[in-house]
Amino acid sequence: MQNLMEIMNREMEKAFSLSGYDGKYARVTLSNRPDLCEFQCNGAMACAKQYKKNPLQIAEDVAGQLSSSGVFASVEAVRPGFLNLTVQPAFLAEHLCQLMADAELGNEKTAQPKTVMIDYGGPNVAKPLHVGHLRSAIIGESIKRMGRYVGHTMIGDVHMGDWGLQMGLIITELQERKPGLVYYDADYEGEYPKEAPFTISELEEIYPAASKRSKEDEAYKARAMQATHELQQGRRGYQALLSHILDVSVTDLKLNYEKLHVSFDLWKGESDAQPYIPDMVQKMKDDGYAYISEGALVVDVKEESDTKEIPPCMILKSDGASLYNTTDLATIVERMQDYHPDEIIYVVDKRQELYFTQVFRCARKTGLVDKDTKLTFLGFGTMNGKDGRPFKTREGGVMRLSALLSDINREMYQKIAGNHTMDEKEAEETAEVVALSAVKYGDLSNQASKDYIFDMERFISFEGNTGPYLLYTIVRMKSILKKYEQSGKDAQGKKILPALTESEKALMLEAARFQGMIAEAFEELAPHKVCAYLYGLANSFNHFYHETKILSQEDEERGAGYIQLLQLCKRIMETCIEVLGFSAPERM
């Protein structure tokens, strides 16, 4: 189904052609002077050069062809050659009726579906999620949902940090506390216990204690490094402990991500890539890409067009140990073999751009990815406190994500409970839903690459460009629809009627813009564009609501038309917030 802009462009192209001009100049855009018109076409200016005519004359010729258009209510040629356009209310109303009747609201799935892997989340096992994990989870989840809405196969991978020295530290510290565990008996050949020898709380306490001690005790750190080496060489007991660590950590991580309405298709970690490393490294050597430099194995990734120094990508350290680079490259090998993706998107801190430039170039140069496989770096900015620095606790430490969500839930509960319109249980459930919208929208409404200030007071406000404001608008819609139904009236089968007022038409134009909006936002990996659209639609609806008698409308056909328009807007808003990763309560 063609969207409004496509229909207007087609109508304009026909008018240009009938006037004797090339239709390529007939591009309609949103007006940059909304006080004068709704849309505009500036093609006459460019057209004038080719046809050596006054642009105003060309504009007038085209306007004459559109005098009886069923799409445009008015077409005005103005100096020096602009075409000012307004849409025919009857045409707009009929177009919205068609959207309303369509299960996908006029949005068609992509004609070229792709398999896209998205690497987001990136938590470390044995450590609680903190606010530093928030942006990757929220942005990555929205990109995944947008892609699915458009029709692509999206595969989300949490890509956990479960390899390296942190595992050796945990194994060493656990041995200090429970030396008798069978996992430390190198001669043991039996089956290991199915139950983990620790809880998630113990595990989260073990790692920071081990990390702190390793910085003060060289012998302890050496033992941890040896344990890491033995784990990576396949020692059975340590491998069994790693399995326990993963089981306990993943169970807890899933619970925490569920609170954010974030899910993953794959719960893989760096350890899953280890089997692919030996063959990958050997191939890089055999093909002449990898060479020894200062004891380490590296691949040159610099290019002639570089304006700054791009260091070689290190594959193995001088002692033969792997690095993050090695693991990320091996993960690409695994993904290509198992899923053959058309694109892999990495949602990570923008400060890692140089690192991913090295990894991507190395993967492409050494043939780890197909020539037409796209590797995309989606770097995000930092979430800062009101002081402009990375968000911290009042004591200056890194805040746990669970603590942040708890704080914002509590603040939202106090606001909702203060209205005395629902019992305690409903208020708590509603507060949780609305608080999530505050966190997610507060993040996603900013362009991903930019830093932003986490301002709880502003984010939980029911006014302004916030998640709660959007949800309040949806709840208002639900309330009107419920009252209309309770009055015994039925708008089923009724049509959206041509607009009578400016606010009604403005709302209808905003609703029409939904077609193709999510597809465009996904193409740019820009969830903030969905947010901007949502906010504009909510503002247009509330303006219309305050100016219009909806439920008390005396003309029943007109009233039913309002209800249908409201139903359409509600469906659009609910679709958008679902794509962004949150939902609306029944009341607030």
Side-chain angles (χ1 to χ4, degrees), residues 281-581:
V281 170
Q282 191 60 49
K283 186 176 185 303
M284 288 180 177
K285 290 178 179 178
D286 293 344
D287 292 348
Y289 294 117
Y291 66 94
I292 301 296
S293 174
E294 298 180 17
L297 188 71
V298 303
V299 172
D300 280 330
V301 293
K302 63 183 178 182
E303 296 177 357
E304 288 184 11
S305 58
D306 291 337
T307 56
K308 62 181 179 181
E309 183 70 22
I310 305 293
C313 183
M314 192 182 297
I315 307 301
L316 295 175
K317 292 196 289 188
S318 56
D319 61 359
S322 58
L323 307 95
Y324 285 123
N325 309 48
T326 327
T327 300
D328 277 322
L329 288 164
T331 300
I332 289 175
V333 173
E334 179 187 15
R335 287 169 175 168
M336 293 304 297
Q337 288 186 13
D338 293 351
Y339 301 99
H340 311 289
D342 299 291
E343 182 176 8
I344 307 174
I345 301 170
Y346 293 79
V347 185
V348 288
D349 191 311
K350 67 181 181 184
R351 291 171 291 189
Q352 295 189 46
E353 185 170 9
L354 174 60
Y355 167 79
F356 277 97
T357 296
Q358 292 174 296
V359 170
F360 290 175
R361 287 186 181 183
C362 183
R364 206 163 288 289
K365 182 176 182 177
T366 59
L368 302 187
V369 294
D370 299 335
K371 288 182 179 179
D372 55 354
T373 300
K374 191 176 179 184
L375 298 174
T376 302
F377 173 78
L378 178 56
F380 55 80
T382 56
M383 179 178 115
N384 298 325
K386 289 184 179 180
D387 60 0
R389 297 176 181 176
F391 195 85
K392 302 282 187 182
T393 63
R394 289 189 181 88
E395 292 73 34
V398 177
M399 178 176 274
R400 286 194 178 194
L401 191 51
S402 57
L404 177 71
L405 294 177
S406 178
D407 286 351
I408 203 162
N409 282 347
R410 184 171 57 253
E411 291 291 329
M412 188 58 70
Y413 170 76
Q414 290 175 355
K415 291 189 77 165
I416 290 172
N419 294 331
H420 306 292
T421 57
M422 53 185 77
D423 62 35
E424 184 176 343
K425 186 174 184 299
E426 185 183 1
E428 287 176 352
E429 292 173 349
T430 301
E432 203 168 300
V433 172
V434 181
L436 184 62
S437 80
V439 172
K440 285 200 162 188
Y441 188 82
D443 187 302
L444 293 172
S445 56
N446 299 277
Q447 189 172 333
S449 61
K450 294 183 178 179
D451 301 345
Y452 77 94
I453 303 295
F454 187 90
D455 184 345
M456 187 185 297
E457 189 176 329
R458 182 171 71 82
F459 285 4
I460 66 175
S461 173
F462 283 48
E463 298 176 357
N465 190 10
T466 69
Y469 169 72
L470 298 179
L471 298 196
Y472 187 76
T473 301
I474 295 173
V475 168
R476 171 174 276 166
M477 292 174 174
K478 289 181 176 181
S479 175
I480 295 169
L481 292 170
K482 188 174 182 180
K483 288 177 182 176
Y484 185 83
E485 185 182 339
Q486 289 173 342
S487 72
K489 296 177 183 177
D490 185 7
Q492 191 71 27
K494 301 296 184 181
K495 285 195 161 194
I496 296 171
L497 300 179
L500 294 179
T501 65
E502 286 186 15
S503 64
E504 184 181 3
K505 192 175 184 189
L507 176 60
M508 293 169 77
L509 286 169
E510 278 292 328
R513 282 186 55 228
F514 176 64
Q515 262 185 296
M517 181 274 299
I518 292 177
E520 288 179 14
F522 175 72
E523 195 64 31
E524 298 177 38
L525 302 181
H528 71 279
K529 294 202 167 182
V530 179
C531 295
Y533 171 77
L534 257 176
Y535 183 54
L537 181 61
N539 280 341
S540 292
F541 170 76
N542 285 314
H543 189 200
F544 166 72
Y545 167 80
H546 287 299
E547 287 193 355
T548 310
K549 294 179 179 179
I550 300 176
L551 292 173
S552 60
Q553 176 58 234
E554 294 179 1
D555 183 333
E556 289 196 11
E557 286 294 310
R558 174 64 52 182
Y562 288 157
I563 292 298
Q564 290 289 65
L565 176 58
L566 192 151
Q567 283 273 24
L568 175 62
C569 292
K570 183 176 82 75
R571 282 175 62 192
I572 290 172
M573 291 193 72
E574 287 178 332
T575 299
C576 288
I577 64 172
E578 171 65 24
V579 160
L580 294 176

